[in-house]
Amino acid sequence: MEVLCREYWHANQEGSGPLLAATISPIAPPNYLNRLDAIYGDTNAASISRDISYSLTKTANAAIQYPNPEINSWTEIYSAYWYAIGAILAAEHPTTKPDWTKVYEAWKDVANTVIKGYSGGVLEAWTLPVLYTAGKHLRAFAIKADENARASGGDTSFNAGGLQEDIAGDFGKNEKLEDAARVINRMFTLCISDRAPLEESRKWGLYYTTNLLFKTYFKLNSIGLSKNILRALSASKTDTPTLEAFPRSHIVTFKYYVGVIQFLEEDYAQAEENLTSAWHMCHRSATRNIELILTYLIPTLLLTRQQLPSSRLLSLYPSLGSLFAPLTLAIRIGSLSAFDTALAEGEHEFVKRRIYLTLERGRDICLRNLLRKVYLAGDLDEEGKRNTRIYVKDFAAAIRLGESGASGEGMDVEMDGSAGENNDEVECLVANMIYKNLMKGYISRERGIVVLSKNGAFPGTGI
């Protein structure tokens, strides 16, 4: 216990929340791989509380007066931590069947004792990383316990860092994760309801616990619950520091999840604002986080600005390239056939990430680009300007060409009316293009022509 307690007093003297949080980490540091074994083997269940209390008192710096309530609180926390270590070591032992449910229950005790310390006013605001560590690993162990309960097999390790790819949700049974969500909600309430002065307030942990709840709700496929959290944040904004005052990592994660919520609600303008902000603020070395942000920002920009990701951007992130490059190419060249093929081949991933329906709407942009090529392939008038009167049958033939698999590159349009039997359907498509402001002009049904605007016939394309 002396090693653990020396770490505790060192963190206290430094006033370092991260160092203090590291004392209850369930993951051994690279420079001390047998740390958990050393701590667990240093005492036993019969004397754990007495040993911790004695070590904390013995190791105390005599020049600093530490109140007994703090010693008592950390005695409870480290006692619960010791039992959790025992469960973790048993689960990771190569000769035994891992019982992650037992690990979860033991770590839940750690989280509850930490919450108790804050609720009683014993733990100060600078120690908030301890709350983060307790909540982060509670969620991770809950996921592992549910996987274990479903007998899904696979790797028994866990990873609780980063934004995480939880948007897809989990439609299986998640008893422990649901329980963890309730505990994390208590942490959120602990932070948002604090009335202490801001310099010593637990409100500084507000956005970390919010983000942890977002991750948990998304994993549970209960995204609607996230809106309750947003409403609570909105109601308390008058006595809460502005978002910009919080750590950058908290801001990026928060904007990412809020942007995704808005994306799923089809509020694309707000989603663009939050996702773009998260992208610009995200550290350039956080490649995985950037990929997750762009997974939703790319479809958003496709709808809001008809903007496609550049080849250079996709080359920087291979997983995004495999996801979006075929669709992007199809839209760029105006190939409806290639677009439909790319959408069908990526359907599983698109549905999993909840972006399928949004990407499907990108077919309008693909069609716009195809019709634009018909316009560009037309004759010039006497003044050297493009002819703005296009026969509907010409558009019909181009659409047939695009759906047959041809790209339309170098299109030499000499339409003879052989595709004119679908003119009514084509008129409907063109009318939709005009309604959605992807084209400017009107349809003259009597003459079977589309009269395009002389100024910006295809908005946003420079034509």
Side-chain angles (χ1 to χ4, degrees):
M1 288 298 104
E2 290 190 5
V3 172
L4 180 62
C5 294
R6 277 199 300 270
E7 292 175 347
Y8 166 79
W9 286 115
H10 174 65
N12 264 269
Q13 290 167 358
E14 293 290 327
S16 171
L19 283 179
L20 189 58
T23 66
I24 64 163
S25 173
I27 303 174
N31 60 344
Y32 193 3
L33 293 178
N34 65 337
R35 177 178 181 271
L36 299 185
D37 297 90
I39 292 173
Y40 190 70
D42 200 29
T43 186
N44 55 64
S47 58
I48 175 65
S49 294
R50 183 177 65 253
D51 288 350
I52 291 175
S53 180
Y54 172 77
S55 296
L56 283 175
T57 305
K58 174 185 175 183
T59 318
N61 188 331
I64 304 176
Q65 297 298 320
Y66 292 96
N68 285 334
E70 185 176 344
I71 297 294
N72 294 337
S73 181
W74 279 100
T75 298
E76 291 184 16
I77 292 171
Y78 284 142
S79 294
Y81 176 58
W82 183 85
Y83 281 105
I85 288 175
I88 292 168
L89 293 176
E92 292 180 340
H93 198 281
T95 62
T96 60
K97 183 178 180 180
D99 187 350
W100 291 99
T101 297
K102 186 175 180 180
V103 173
Y104 168 75
E105 294 297 342
W107 194 262
K108 181 181 174 182
D109 289 340
V110 175
N112 283 331
T113 55
V114 168
I115 291 173
K116 180 181 176 182
Y118 285 104
S119 299
V122 177
L123 302 184
E124 300 176 18
W126 68 270
T127 69
L128 278 171
V130 173
L131 187 71
Y132 305 163
T133 296
K136 176 178 68 174
H137 293 296
L138 179 72
R139 176 182 175 278
F141 286 132
I143 292 171
K144 188 55 62 180
D146 288 331
E147 290 175 351
N148 192 208
R150 289 192 296 267
S152 61
D155 184 16
T156 57
S157 64
F158 63 92
N159 180 1
L163 296 180
Q164 298 191 36
E165 191 173 350
D166 294 330
I167 307 301
D170 192 335
F171 294 87
K173 185 177 180 182
N174 294 285
E175 178 183 349
K176 297 306 179 185
L177 189 58
E178 291 173 359
D179 185 56
R182 289 188 284 271
V183 177
I184 296 170
N185 202 303
R186 289 173 58 203
M187 296 179 178
F188 170 80
T189 303
L190 196 68
C191 294
I192 199 171
S193 62
D194 192 21
R195 293 294 177 264
L198 286 182
E199 59 271 13
E200 54 189 55
S201 174
R202 293 190 301 265
K203 284 192 186 304
W204 294 108
L206 186 55
Y207 283 99
Y208 186 96
T209 53
T210 295
N211 295 335
L212 199 55
L213 275 177
F214 282 163
K215 291 180 182 181
T216 305
Y217 288 150
F218 272 88
K219 188 70 174 177
L220 288 170
N221 197 40
S222 301
I223 300 172
L225 294 176
S226 299
K227 289 186 282 189
N228 296 335
I229 302 301
L230 292 176
R231 282 192 287 269
L233 289 173
S234 179
S236 67
K237 64 183 179 181
T238 56
D239 58 352
T240 300
T242 61
L243 179 60
E244 292 72 22
F246 285 80
R248 189 170 183 172
S249 60
H250 298 192
I251 300 172
V252 171
T253 306
F254 178 75
K255 285 182 175 289
Y256 165 72
Y257 278 103
V258 171
V260 173
I261 292 169
Q262 292 163 338
F263 174 90
L264 297 176
E265 292 182 332
E266 299 187 3
D267 185 357
Y268 295 113
Q270 288 299 311
E272 178 189 346
E273 180 180 337
N274 280 294
L275 290 171
T276 301
S277 179
W279 180 36
H280 289 158
M281 293 184 68
C282 191
H283 198 281
R284 294 300 96 182
S285 65
T287 303
R288 185 58 187 146
N289 289 348
I290 292 175
E291 288 178 345
L292 290 174
I293 294 168
L294 289 176
T295 298
Y296 298 90
L297 182 56
I298 288 173
T300 299
L301 291 175
L302 179 62
L303 290 189
T304 59
R305 300 178 182 269
Q306 293 86 54
Q307 181 178 327
L308 295 172
S310 66
S311 299
R312 179 180 178 278
L313 177 66
L314 294 180
S315 68
L316 294 175
Y317 308 102
S319 65
L320 289 180
S322 63
L323 199 63
F324 292 115
L327 271 177
T328 298
L329 177 61
I331 294 172
R332 186 166 282 124
I333 66 177
S335 174
L336 298 174
S337 174
F339 179 89
D340 293 339
T341 299
L343 195 66
E345 290 179 349
E347 180 176 357
H348 175 74
E349 279 299 314
F350 296 148
V351 171
K352 176 183 175 182
R353 298 167 190 260
R354 305 174 190 253
I355 59 177
Y356 180 86
L357 294 178
T358 304
L359 290 174
E360 189 178 41
R361 293 165 67 175
R363 198 175 196 272
D364 289 338
I365 313 300
C366 185
L367 177 59
R368 186 274 308 276
N369 289 347
L370 177 61
L371 300 183
R372 177 174 173 268
K373 288 186 175 183
V374 176
Y375 170 70
L376 293 175
D379 297 329
L380 301 177
D381 61 20
E382 296 177 355
E383 298 178 359
K385 296 182 179 180
R386 295 287 177 190
N387 182 12
T388 58
R389 296 172 180 268
I390 312 294
Y391 284 103
V392 174
K393 65 182 181 182
D394 291 355
F395 281 145
I399 291 172
R400 173 170 291 187
L401 184 67
E403 290 179 338
S404 69
S407 69
E409 293 290 349
M411 185 184 294
D412 183 11
V413 187
E414 284 191 25
M415 309 301 181
D416 59 5
S418 61
E421 63 273 14
N422 293 324
N423 282 3
D424 288 345
E425 181 181 345
V426 173
E427 285 179 3
C428 181
L429 291 173
V430 171
N432 277 330
M433 292 290 102
I434 295 172
Y435 174 75
K436 294 175 181 178
N437 199 36
L438 296 174
M439 292 174 61
K440 282 187 177 181
Y442 64 91
I443 301 172
S444 176
R445 299 205 66 192
E446 297 81 3
R447 299 183 181 182
I449 63 173
V450 178
V451 181
L452 296 174
S453 172
K454 294 182 179 180
N455 298 311
F458 295 87
T461 67
I463 301 297

